Amino acid sequence: GGPTRRTRWTAALVRSPDGSELISLDTTLPNRLLAPALGSGTLEEFQGWSLEAREWAHGRSRFDFLLGRESGERLVLEVKSVTLVEGRTALFPDAVTSRGARHVRELAEFARRSGWRAAVLFVVQRADADRIHPAREIDPEFADALVEAHAAGVQVFGRRSRVELDAVTLGDPVQVLLPTPGNSDGQEPLE
């Protein structure tokens, strides 16, 4: 590590408590996995979109990807790395993220503009999750922002990863469940 590091080592992989699952802790990995998939147009969620920019800066924020269509339409995509799983439910975030809530609110502003779309893609960095929920008990502000953004037109997607000692690959889609309006306890699947 360099002179500004606080620790000497970086944890990249851990085993789940029962030892059955490897979990990637590298928060930059989902973007590195997605860039070639977005560039080649192989993700069904983003068919018809082409990759225009990575780390796209707008105002005081930087978004993970900017996608475009020949029609001139644009899609701002923010990717969230998910590592916390309880039962078979992936939860995001695992700690309070005011930056994450701000990004989601800014995505809602893009979704309200003509010619623009916005999306959040949660990438679960392990294979043992069947669904994704916002972790309201950890960060109610983020959960509320995500529900409000979805209501404004922000698309919300999920994918799991397959983590092995020598490789991590992007896996199948995973259903994202959001609290129903007016009922913070109930969850409804997103279309």
Side-chain angles (χ1 to χ4, degrees):
T4 61
R5 285 190 59 121
R6 288 193 225 171
T7 60
R8 188 170 174 191
W9 305 101
T10 299
L13 297 175
V14 295
R15 283 215 176 267
S16 59
D18 68 4
S20 65
E21 193 74 33
L22 279 173
I23 303 163
S24 168
L25 299 179
D26 182 349
T27 59
T28 67
L29 184 60
N31 286 16
R32 294 196 319 267
L33 291 174
L34 281 167
L38 290 168
S40 64
T42 57
L43 292 178
E44 63 192 56
E45 300 95 318
F46 305 105
Q47 287 294 314
W49 294 96
S50 60
L51 178 59
E52 291 196 355
R54 293 179 67 171
E55 297 293 319
W56 180 66
H58 180 80
R60 62 182 208 156
S61 293
R62 185 177 309 273
F63 295 93
D64 294 316
F65 297 100
L66 178 65
L67 307 179
R69 285 190 169 151
E70 287 184 16
S71 65
E73 192 174 23
R74 299 290 178 265
L75 186 148
V76 181
L77 174 61
E78 186 67 10
V79 179
K80 300 298 182 193
S81 169
V82 184
T83 58
L84 176 62
V85 171
E86 292 180 1
R88 295 198 56 88
T89 301
L91 298 167
F92 184 90
D94 59 8
V96 174
T97 174
S98 56
R99 179 177 172 269
R102 180 180 47 122
H103 274 171
V104 170
R105 287 191 180 99
E106 290 171 337
L107 289 175
E109 292 302 316
F110 283 111
R112 292 183 185 107
R113 294 182 187 180
S114 176
W116 287 82
R117 293 199 187 179
V120 177
L121 174 61
F122 293 97
V123 177
V124 184
Q125 293 210 69
R126 49 198 290 176
D128 62 346
D130 297 324
R131 67 196 74 76
I132 302 167
H133 289 192
R136 180 176 293 284
E137 60 285 349
I138 294 172
D139 190 345
E141 181 185 358
F142 177 85
D144 290 344
L146 186 62
V147 170
E148 292 163 13
H150 182 254
V154 174
Q155 296 175 284
V156 182
F157 302 104
R159 286 227 171 216
R160 71 172 59 92
S161 300
R162 182 182 169 116
V163 181
E164 299 170 292
L165 284 175
D166 59 349
V168 179
T169 53
L170 197 58
D172 297 329
V174 178
Q175 189 175 50
V176 180
L177 301 164
L178 293 181
T180 57
N183 176 9
S184 64
D185 295 329
Q187 306 283 330
E188 70 178 13
L190 301 181
E191 297 301 321

